[in-house]
């Protein structure tokens, strides 16, 4: 009997996880530990708001933009379209149009060759990752998406972060970065993405899952590859 499958597409946060250049690395310290004779093990955590799988709120690039604790949960939970684009270097307008992305979806997640980097070298930051240039971001805005996700630490090209982020965030699109989509087939899933509810902050790590219902185990007519 088929049963639903839950795919965890979040990166495991550890002290060895690659972070954006200049960001604080992950630090995990145990102030007490049972092995040392303490009554309980208690840990403290230190890492940046944009560590691992995380959500960008408008405040990340927009002055007086909304913060992560005010994001609409209706956007963060619901049907998501996973689109495969493994053989491209950039998600340009021409590439996006070639993918024949169907209409009617609010959330889109791009599975690129970036995901393999998390399997091969999760501790190393790579600046030649697949991203969305400004014109690609504008295309996604025009198509009415409300959430855009990608499988590296930025939706925008390295050292060209402002135009893409401003295009998306100023339109109210939630940006989801740092996904690991290895093993995820293109198609439609139920997504749950819950960033930490930290008040007044520009982004936060988010445990993100895709739920594949039994019917989804059959081939989907609208699976997209590229």
């Amino acid at each position: 009997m088929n049963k639903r499958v839950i795919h965890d597409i979040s990166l495991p946060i550890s002290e060895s996880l690659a972070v954006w250049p200049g960001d604080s690395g992950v630090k995990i310290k145990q102030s007490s530990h049972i092995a040392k004779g303490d009554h309980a093990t208690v840990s403290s955590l230190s890492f940046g708001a944009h560590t691992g799988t995380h959500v960008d709120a408008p405040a990340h690039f927009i002055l007086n933009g909304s913060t992560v604790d005010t994001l609409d949960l209706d956007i963060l939970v619901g049907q998501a379209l996973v689109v495969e684009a493994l053989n491209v270097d950039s998600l340009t307008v021409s590439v996006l149009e070639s993918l024949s992305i169907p209409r009617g979806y609010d959330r889109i997640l791009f599975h690129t060759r970036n995901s393999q980097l998390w399997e091969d070298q999760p501790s190393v930051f790579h600046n030649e990752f697949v991203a969305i240039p400004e014109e690609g971001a504008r295309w996604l805005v025009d198509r009415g998406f409300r959430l855009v996700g990608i499988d590296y630490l930025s939706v925008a090209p390295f050292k060209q972060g402002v135009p893409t982020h401003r295009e998306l965030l100023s339109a109210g699109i939630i940006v989801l970065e740092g996904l690991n989509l290895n093993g995820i087939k293109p198609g439609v899933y139920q997504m749950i993405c819950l960033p930490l509810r930290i008040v007044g902050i520009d982004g936060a790590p988010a445990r993100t899952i895709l739920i594949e219902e039994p019917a989804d185990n059959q081939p989907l007519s609208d699976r997209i590859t590229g």
Side-chain angles (χ1 to χ4, degrees):
M1 179 178 179
N2 291 334
K3 62 179 181 179
R4 71 177 184 178
V5 178
I6 297 176
H7 302 278
D8 191 343
I9 58 173
S10 312
L11 295 172
I13 294 177
S14 72
E15 292 188 339
S16 63
L17 180 65
V19 299
W20 192 263
D23 281 4
S24 301
V26 178
K27 300 295 181 185
I28 302 174
K29 181 180 179 181
Q30 292 167 336
S31 55
S32 63
H33 201 289
I34 296 171
K36 297 178 180 179
D38 298 311
H39 295 296
T41 299
V42 178
S43 302
S44 61
L45 310 174
S46 174
F47 47 80
H50 301 267
T51 297
T53 306
H54 65 276
V55 164
D56 286 353
H60 187 34
F61 278 87
I62 308 297
L63 182 64
N64 299 320
S66 57
T67 52
V68 73
D69 53 304
T70 66
L71 295 178
D72 187 352
L73 292 179
D74 279 338
I75 303 176
L76 292 163
V77 177
Q79 274 197 341
L81 178 68
V82 176
V83 173
E84 193 174 82
L86 299 178
N87 301 312
V88 303
D89 294 324
S90 178
L91 292 168
T92 61
V93 169
S94 61
V95 167
L96 292 171
E97 290 180 343
S98 74
L99 296 174
S100 302
I101 297 169
R103 294 185 180 272
Y105 296 99
D106 292 330
R107 306 163 194 85
I108 187 166
L109 310 179
F110 289 102
H111 180 187
T112 75
R113 57 178 169 79
N114 295 336
S115 284
Q116 193 59 40
L117 297 175
W118 298 123
E119 296 295 315
D120 296 341
Q121 295 179 305
S123 302
V124 178
F125 177 83
H126 298 265
N127 58 24
E128 295 182 355
F129 54 88
V130 179
I132 305 172
E134 182 180 12
E135 66 272 16
R138 190 174 303 116
W139 188 92
L140 292 166
V141 171
D142 292 341
R143 289 292 292 264
F145 287 105
R146 303 171 70 198
L147 181 144
V148 173
I150 199 163
D151 50 358
Y152 211 64
L153 295 179
S154 177
V155 72
F158 188 61
K159 293 189 176 180
Q160 301 175 47
V162 175
T164 294
H165 278 96
R166 283 188 176 168
E167 190 74 41
L168 297 174
L169 295 173
S170 63
I173 293 176
I174 295 176
V175 172
L176 174 57
E177 299 169 328
L179 299 172
N180 184 351
L181 294 170
N182 274 301
I184 304 299
K185 296 178 181 179
V188 181
Y189 299 80
Q190 288 295 320
M191 184 188 77
I192 299 175
C193 171
L194 297 178
L196 295 175
R197 194 178 183 184
I198 305 173
V199 176
I201 201 166
D202 49 278
R207 187 73 177 263
T208 305
I209 64 171
L210 297 178
I211 301 174
E212 183 179 355
E213 299 294 347
D216 295 334
N217 293 331
Q218 302 301 318
L220 293 172
S221 61
D222 55 358
R223 281 184 177 166
I224 309 301
T225 60

